[in-house]
Amino acid sequence: IIRVLQAVAGPEDVPVFERAIAAYEPTPADTNGPTILRAAGLVALAAVDPRSAALQAVTLLARPDRSSHMTGEPALTAVRVLAALGEEMALYLFALAGLSPLSVAHATSPEVVAEAARGLSSLPASHLLAMFNVSSSNDAVIEAAFIDVAIEHSPDAALTTWLATFLRTTRNDDLYAFAVTSIVAKHGDHLLATLQSVAATETAPARLRTLESSLAMLAGDSRVDAALAEIRTRIALSS
């Protein structure tokens, strides 16, 4: 009903959406309908009263006990609303609190923290690096979000160095493959140069194959053809 009403809603419907956001059932059943209702109410409120929606989103994030551990809702929707409204400072504070091992918010769902981090790709690189460095988590979901942020950010030497270091040091082959394919999909000059630099020293056969299969999508591009030929030579020698 809230979602249908959203299409024709006006300021007079704000109280309805606020009641939806406040809906809560103090039983395990809250993880079903009520969490979805709170999320729908927040999205609808954002369309008619962005300032109130931002305040409600922050309120929801301050109450992790009111979000489902299974779906992350309505916290996931709250961070997306804040990102859509350009409320970067609130997202940054939430992400830092969720990442810091000294914070009471450290137990926040990794999926929600990762979503908050993804909304921060326009922050100055120094602040993003501070966020990356405060994390003591080896959670793949959060690390994947950091990769996304570094790739989506405008060219920056410090972030490029961070990304290259991550590729050289991570022990997670799945994250390595995710980063490589994401860089190829973005194919910015500075990112491809970073990938070429990493590829030049890579020796692990599985990672060489990851590099080969990803860079093959850009075959014919003079920026990658030489690197691709070298990778294929090393794969053949390791067989």
Side-chain angles (χ1 to χ4, degrees):
I1 292 170
I2 291 292
R3 288 170 179 162
V4 171
L5 178 60
Q6 181 182 344
V8 294
E12 67 278 7
D13 297 300
V14 166
V16 175
F17 301 146
E18 288 179 337
R19 286 199 298 273
I21 295 169
Y24 174 69
E25 182 172 342
T27 73
D30 184 70
T31 61
N32 300 316
T35 59
I36 298 170
L37 178 58
R38 293 197 289 279
L42 183 61
V43 171
L45 181 62
V48 295
D49 192 339
R51 185 172 186 275
S52 292
L55 291 170
Q56 292 281 4
V58 170
T59 301
L60 288 172
L61 291 177
R63 292 295 307 271
D65 58 310
R66 294 292 177 94
S67 288
S68 168
H69 292 293
M70 297 294 292
T71 66
E73 293 293 2
L76 275 175
T77 293
V79 297
R80 289 167 182 158
V81 165
L82 289 171
L85 296 176
E87 298 285 349
E88 289 182 325
M89 286 186 286
L91 283 179
Y92 188 55
L93 174 61
F94 175 77
L96 287 175
L99 291 167
S100 173
L102 302 177
S103 171
V104 294
H106 184 59
T108 301
S109 165
E111 289 77 12
V112 180
V113 175
E115 192 68 21
R118 285 190 174 92
L120 298 171
S121 59
S122 64
L123 284 186
S126 59
H127 291 281
L128 292 177
L129 290 169
M131 181 177 69
F132 298 169
N133 291 334
V134 79
S135 176
S136 62
S137 173
N138 293 318
D139 190 283
V141 172
I142 290 176
E143 291 187 323
F146 291 169
I147 293 167
D148 282 339
V149 172
I151 290 174
E152 289 301 318
H153 197 275
S154 56
D156 180 90
L159 285 177
T160 299
T161 298
W162 178 88
L163 188 59
T165 300
F166 176 86
L167 285 167
R168 291 189 175 103
T169 60
T170 182
R171 296 182 180 181
N172 188 318
D173 286 343
D174 290 334
L175 277 175
Y176 183 92
F178 171 75
V180 169
T181 55
S182 297
I183 288 171
V184 170
K186 186 75 173 178
H187 58 79
D189 288 347
H190 70 294
L191 293 172
L192 288 177
T194 298
L195 195 55
Q196 287 174 295
S197 173
V198 170
T201 58
E202 184 58 70
T203 59
R207 295 192 174 188
L208 287 170
R209 287 191 290 272
T210 294
L211 289 164
E212 192 275 335
S213 61
S214 296
L215 288 171
M217 293 187 285
L218 299 178
D221 188 323
S222 59
R223 296 173 296 179
V224 300
D225 280 350
L228 190 56
E230 174 62 23
I231 289 167
R232 286 171 171 165
T233 297
R234 273 183 277 154
I235 290 174
L237 291 173
S238 66
S239 299

